[in-house]
């Protein structure tokens, strides 16, 4: 059965990006590719992806306009701040631009995932929307030894969690929580 999982990194003071959406603070940290709670192992169980417009725009800016990192269907939740790529620009990408309530597309995501999990990529507010709808099952956060002072919060709302796993990977404290 598919689980909806929010997997992200955070600064020690609870931000996932700076005010200008930069992740430079994250990319300068040491993490082991095969260490505890690593991205590769996590991705092996993912069958669909959901992300907000800021995450989509950041990924496109980092990789270039002709590259896409995910081989699974990806829903981009936007309010007009992310534009679909030109036809043929990302021929292997299955991108679905949507607006509105996450509940309306969650069952479509579960079907597309084919029994694998759904990953909420970055965007604490988007993860919070899934939580508000009772659709978020798990929160995985890798905490970096840096403070940002402000930025995009990890989860900008109240959410009750149960600690399920703790690990260390390179410089990161890795935590996995089940949504209570």
């Amino acid at each position: 059965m598919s689980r909806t999982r929010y997997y992200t990194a955070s600064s020690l003071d609870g931000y996932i990006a700076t005010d200008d959406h930069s992740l430079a603070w994250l990319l300068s940290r040491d993490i082991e590719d095969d260490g505890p709670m690593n991205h590769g192992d996590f991705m092996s169980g993912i069958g669909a992806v959901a992300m907000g417009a800021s995450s989509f725009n950041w990924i496109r800016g980092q990789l270039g306009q002709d590259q896409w990192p995910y081989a699974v269907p990806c829903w981009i939740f936007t309010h007009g701040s992310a534009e679909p790529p030109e036809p043929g620009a990302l021929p292997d990408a299955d991108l679905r631009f949507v607006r509105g309530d996450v509940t309306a597309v969650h069952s479509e995501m579960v079907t597309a995932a084919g029994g694998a999990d759904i990953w909420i990529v970055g965007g604490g507010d988007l993860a919070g929307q899934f939580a508000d709808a009772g659709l978020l099952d798990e929160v995985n956060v890798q905490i970096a030894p840096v403070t940002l002072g402000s930025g995009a919060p990890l989860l900008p709302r109240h959410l009750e969690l149960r600690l399920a796993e703790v690990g260390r990977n390179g410089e990161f404290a890795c935590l996995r929580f089940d949504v209570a």
Side-chain angles (χ1 to χ4, degrees), residues 6 12 24 54 76 82 91 103 110 116 126 130 132 134 138-139 143 168:
Y6 178 39
L12 183 60
S54 294
I76 294 92
T103 306
V110 169
L126 182 61
F130 279 88
D132 292 346
E138 188 174 291
V139 174
I143 300 173
R168 178 181 178 167

Side-chain angles (χ1 to χ4, degrees), residues 36-37 163-169 173-177:
M37 297 186 220
L163 184 62
E165 185 177 359
V166 175
R168 178 181 178 167
N169 186 329
C174 304
L175 307 168
R176 186 173 60 81
F177 299 92

Side-chain angles (χ1 to χ4, degrees), residues 5-29:
R5 303 169 72 185
Y6 178 39
Y7 180 95
T8 193
S10 172
S11 63
L12 183 60
D13 57 348
Y15 297 102
I16 59 174
T18 63
D19 289 322
D20 63 352
H21 305 290
S22 173
L23 296 179
W25 62 272
L26 170 63
L27 302 176
S28 67
R29 300 293 166 182

Side-chain angles (χ1 to χ4, degrees), residues 107-133:
S107 61
E108 183 182 341
M109 295 172 67
V110 169
T111 299
D117 292 340
I118 298 165
W119 176 24
I120 310 302
V121 176
D125 185 60
L126 182 61
Q129 290 175 47
F130 279 88
D132 292 346

